[in-house]
Amino acid sequence: MNTSPIESWDGVEAYFTFADKPAVMMLFLLLAFAITFGTIIIAAVHEKHAYNNH
């Protein structure tokens, strides 16, 4: 049963060949979590420092 509207991969902007590999998907998830958590921590430290100096 082929119900995909895609008939050809010609002209594809991005083609992810690792979508069926759970380890790579988990790596991306952990990387996104680390970046998000790191940004929150750095912002909190900066805000605390700015508040103490003002």
Side-chain angles (χ1 to χ4, degrees):
M1 184 172 173
N2 188 5
T3 60
S4 175
I6 300 171
E7 296 177 8
S8 172
W9 290 104
D10 295 334
V12 173
E13 296 286 329
Y15 182 70
F16 300 103
T17 59
F18 53 81
D20 61 339
K21 295 177 179 64
V24 177
M25 297 302 287
M26 185 58 73
L27 178 66
F28 280 156
L29 177 64
L30 292 175
L31 182 62
F33 177 75
I35 290 171
T36 302
F37 188 71
T39 301
I40 292 170
I41 295 299
I42 290 171
V45 168
H46 175 269
E47 287 296 319
K48 185 174 182 178
H49 178 71
Y51 179 77
N52 289 337
N53 287 343
H54 197 42

